[in-house]
């Protein structure tokens, strides 16, 4: 007999660190944009593991690649070469327009690598980050994450200055002789789906060039088609000196990467950075299959189209608590004049999973494979709340 919901929760409460606020839902399996709980109830998933399952849950091509690779070679360490890592590195470099890649296992780890590289390459220690930025929870990544509540217990962190997002004058004023780099999300995710003005990043790029400051673009959340481009930076026509990706990279398999331009990448020499699992054969096979699916199923274009479709439908809702709807592709934020918990709970009861970020922003980040009919249902459920 499978354990009951209560038994599962009891084990979590007894044995797992109490660091997450979990919803009262135990998930058993998932396919495409639908997850199923242990009692067999289905939910349309507008969370997608927090912008991870871009190709949908358990995509057969990703499952097949993982199964095949697991039977052949899972892990050997970076003491050796593998074909899977070689092929994926070339693919990623082509997709991102960067020159070299360092493989790791998560977003925070990618950011750690980026900050270390920027420090080594610049010979400086301080970073400029944006207000409401989220870059992860390890100590380096936390030092450029804005939320006071996350940072405070762990200070002193590495030196960082926070400036308002979407304000180029503030960045210009903040850059000093001590500045190693500027780190930005091209669209802020955890901060509440904040899309900057069209010329913001281009101007930041110019300021960084003028002042010889490194620009780090954190695309952990916005990568792999999420915003209607392969990477969000393409909306703004710029390239960072360093770039981070993770979340949707492995089709659900944990994976991350830090990429850099050649002149910066060469500043990391043998022994400067490492990760035991980084780019192992299994994760690379998953990522390669994931990228193939995004290409073959036209998911980047689909993300753009469905994002517009969803925003139009949400805009047609007549609810006094809706303040603003914004986004690009299938990262859409609905800012409310109230906290979103009540709506998240009611939607879940009615078979729709939604995520709340920054307390009052409902964030829609479904699989890019979601159908119009499923999005219609999501909006219908919201309309009934
Ligand atoms: C989620 C996220 C991270 C951290 O990724 P983890 O895999 O949770 O460590 C970093 N940067 C951005 C922009 C993110 O959205």
């Amino acid at each position: 007999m499978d354990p009951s919901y209560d038994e599962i929760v009891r084990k979590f409460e007894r044995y797992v660190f109490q660091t997450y606020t979990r919803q009262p839902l135990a998930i058993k399996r998932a396919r495409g944009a639908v997850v199923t709980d242990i009692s067999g109830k289905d939910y349309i998933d507008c969370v997608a593991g927090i912008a991870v399952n871009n190709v949908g849950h358990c995509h057969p091509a990703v499952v097949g690649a993982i199964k095949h690779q697991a039977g052949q070679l899972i892990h050997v360490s970076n003491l050796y070469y593998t074909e899977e890592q070689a092929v994926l590195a070339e693919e990623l470099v082509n997709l991102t327009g960067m020159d070299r890649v360092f493989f790791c296992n998560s977003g925070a780890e990618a950011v750690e690598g980026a900050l270390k590289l920027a420090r080594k390459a610049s010979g400086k220690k301080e970073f400029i980050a944006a207000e409401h930025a989220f870059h992860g929870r390890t100590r380096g990544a936390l030092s450029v994450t804005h939320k006071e509540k996350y940072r405070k217990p762990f200070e002193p962190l590495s030196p960082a200055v926070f400036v308002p997002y979407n304000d180029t004058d503030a960045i210009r004023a903040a850059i000093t002789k001590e500045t190693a780099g500027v780190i930005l999300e091209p669209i802020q995710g955890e901060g509440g789906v904040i899309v900057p003005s069209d010329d913001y990043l281009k101007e930041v790029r110019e300021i960084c060039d003028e002042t010889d400051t490194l620009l780090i673009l954190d695309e952990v959340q916005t990568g792999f088609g999420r915003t209607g481009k392969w990477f969000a930076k393409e909306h703004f026509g710029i390239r960072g000196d360093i770039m981070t990706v993770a979340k949707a990279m492995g089709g659900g398999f944990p994976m991350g990467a830090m990429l850099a331009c050649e002149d910066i990448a060469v500043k990391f020499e043998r022994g400067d950075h490492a990760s035991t699992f980084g780019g192992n054969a299994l994760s690379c096979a998953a990522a390669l299959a994931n990228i193939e699916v995004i290409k073959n199923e036209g998911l980047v274009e689909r993300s753009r189209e469905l994002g517009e479709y969803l925003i139009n439908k949400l805009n047609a809702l007549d609810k006094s608590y809706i303040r603003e709807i914004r986004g690009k592709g299938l990262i859409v934020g609905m800012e409310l004049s109230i906290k979103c918990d009540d709506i998240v709970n009611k939607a879940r009861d009615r078979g729709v999973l939604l995520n709340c970020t920054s307390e009052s922003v409902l964030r829609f980040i479904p699989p890019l494979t979601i159908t119009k009919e499923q999005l219609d249902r999501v909006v219908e459920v919201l309309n009934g709340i």
Side-chain angles (χ1 to χ4, degrees), residues 20 50-52 105-111 133-138 141 145 183-190 218-222 244-247 255-256 363:
Y20 297 102
I50 313 193
V52 165
N105 310 285
S106 69
E109 196 186 352
V111 171
F134 183 85
H135 298 292
R137 308 296 203 117
T138 54
T145 288
I183 181 164
L184 292 171
E185 297 156 87
I187 292 171
Q188 288 189 324
E190 302 302 306
D218 182 353
E219 294 243 25
V220 168
Q221 186 154 160
T222 51
T244 54
V245 293
K247 290 195 165 93
M255 179 144 214
R363 179 173 43 173

Side-chain angles (χ1 to χ4, degrees), residues 16 53 63 65 77 110 134 159 216 247 254 263 270 275:
V16 179
N53 304 103
V63 172
S77 107
F134 183 85
I216 304 169
K247 290 195 165 93
D263 55 328
R270 296 191 204 288
S275 174

